[in-house]
Amino acid sequence: MGVDETVHQIAAWVVEAERTLVFTGAGISTESGIPDFRGPNGLWKKVDPKLFTIQNYVADPEIRKRSWRARLDSEMFDAEPNTGHVAIARLEALGVAPIVVTQNIDGLHQAAGSTDVIEVHGSVREFVCLDCAARGPIEDALERVRGGEADPACPDCGGILKTATISFGQNLETDVIERAFAEAEKSDLCIAAGSSLSVTPAAHIPRIVGERGRLVIVNAEPTDLDFMAAALVSAQTGTFLPALADAVEALLAERV
Ligand code: APR
Ligand code: ZN
């Protein structure tokens, strides 16, 4: 099937589906300048993921200081949503894809206009205290770092602060992942975009929907769930997803 036919086939599935769940990974944010993890220029190809364990972060103040310095320069805080994020928000506005489950921590889906985003790996937009669970806007903590506090302590209890993301060694927030599973159990179509689908439990979300209905994978490289995809689209998410949103809009207009 040519790309055009593929777009129209998937658009027809989106329009006829009971409920479509969009599942995204770091690949959807690379076109916003944020590197992914396992792609050709992935982060895990440059640094050892073991550095990013919660155990190391809690044990070693030097790792915390290095993390806060890196956050000051992180491309995440200046990144803008790209055409892929905007297309997903359009699918929600068209009434065909109400929910986004993302592994990303950059907040770009919300910035693009998606209103119901389940962030299974948390978000860099907030800080959290590892001792008393106090939370606040990450900007407040970054301001303190810019002001000279190399490893800002919790304003309430003096405990260790980190971004409200899930690091290796940390459990996912139970209510968040349970909601994501509940949404998967209600969906009969999953569009999985920009993910190697290699990390669980997150990757169980597209698998559950694929087993109940259909899984469509949009990714630049092969993924761990290609074997069960109803359609495999090897394309840039920032190119394919807008074409999909256009095709869905055209199909819906025909029905009016
Ligand atoms: N268009 C399509 N695919 C892309 C694009 C793009 N513009 N850019 C990158 N990709 C693909 C890469 O080829 C890769 O297969 O996106 C995929 C991203 O996969 P990963 O880097 O493994 O990212 P992700 O699946 O989100 O990782 C899951 O692993 O390290 C943890 O917590 C981290 O949430 C992350 C989780
Ligand atoms: Zn605290």
Side-chain angles (χ1 to χ4, degrees):
M1 242 197 296
V3 177
D4 257 3
E5 288 161 306
T6 306
V7 169
H8 285 95
Q9 173 60 79
I10 297 169
W13 287 344
V14 170
V15 169
E16 79 192 32
E18 280 296 302
R19 191 172 172 82
T20 298
L21 181 146
V22 176
F23 181 85
T24 63
I28 195 167
S29 293
T30 54
E31 292 171 72
S32 295
I34 300 173
D36 63 12
F37 299 96
R38 298 173 188 79
N41 305 311
L43 188 64
W44 298 152
K45 298 228 160 88
K46 294 177 191 132
V47 293
D48 178 357
K50 279 202 288 302
L51 268 182
F52 291 74
T53 63
I54 190 71
Q55 292 79 1
N56 289 343
Y57 186 86
V58 168
D60 185 344
E62 286 315 308
I63 286 190
R64 294 200 294 274
K65 290 175 188 168
R66 195 165 52 209
S67 298
W68 282 112
R69 280 196 303 274
R71 287 169 189 143
L72 284 184
D73 309 330
S74 166
E75 52 274 282
M76 272 201 200
F77 295 107
D78 304 327
E80 293 292 329
N82 64 59
T83 50
H85 298 103
V86 172
I88 290 169
R90 271 180 66 201
L91 289 173
E92 177 190 334
L94 288 167
V96 292
I99 192 91
V100 180
V101 177
T102 188
Q103 301 170 96
N104 300 342
I105 57 175
D106 53 36
L108 292 181
H109 283 299
Q110 295 90 326
S114 291
T115 63
D116 195 351
V117 182
I118 302 179
E119 296 170 304
V120 292
H121 292 161
S123 169
V124 291
R125 301 287 165 183
E126 279 196 308
F127 70 77
V128 65
C129 171
L130 297 180
D131 294 82
C132 75
R135 284 174 174 260
I138 195 68
E139 207 32 60
D140 294 359
L142 294 176
E143 218 30 59
R144 290 171 60 191
V145 178
R146 288 189 197 97
E149 292 183 70
D151 179 15
C154 172
D156 297 355
C157 76
I160 292 175
L161 296 184
K162 75 180 280 291
T163 48
T165 57
I166 306 294
S167 304
F168 285 115
Q170 261 187 308
N171 294 326
L172 277 63
E173 305 252 348
T174 313
D175 56 332
V176 174
I177 193 67
E178 282 179 356
R179 179 161 177 244
F181 276 111
E183 290 295 340
E185 294 293 350
K186 285 191 278 187
S187 303
D188 57 338
L189 175 64
C190 177
I191 311 274
S195 178
S196 60
L197 302 177
S198 60
V199 170
T200 57
H204 291 325
I205 303 296
R207 189 179 52 71
I208 289 168
V209 184
E211 286 166 351
R212 307 183 70 249
R214 283 193 185 106
L215 170 59
V216 169
I217 297 175
V218 184
N219 203 55
E221 291 176 293
T223 80
D224 288 14
L225 296 184
D226 283 4
F227 68 91
M228 64 182 295
L232 275 181
V233 182
S234 176
Q236 293 290 296
T237 50
T239 308
F240 182 81
L241 292 172
L244 178 61
D246 290 344
V248 167
E249 192 162 29
L251 278 180
L252 291 171
E254 284 169 19
R255 295 183 149 199
V256 176

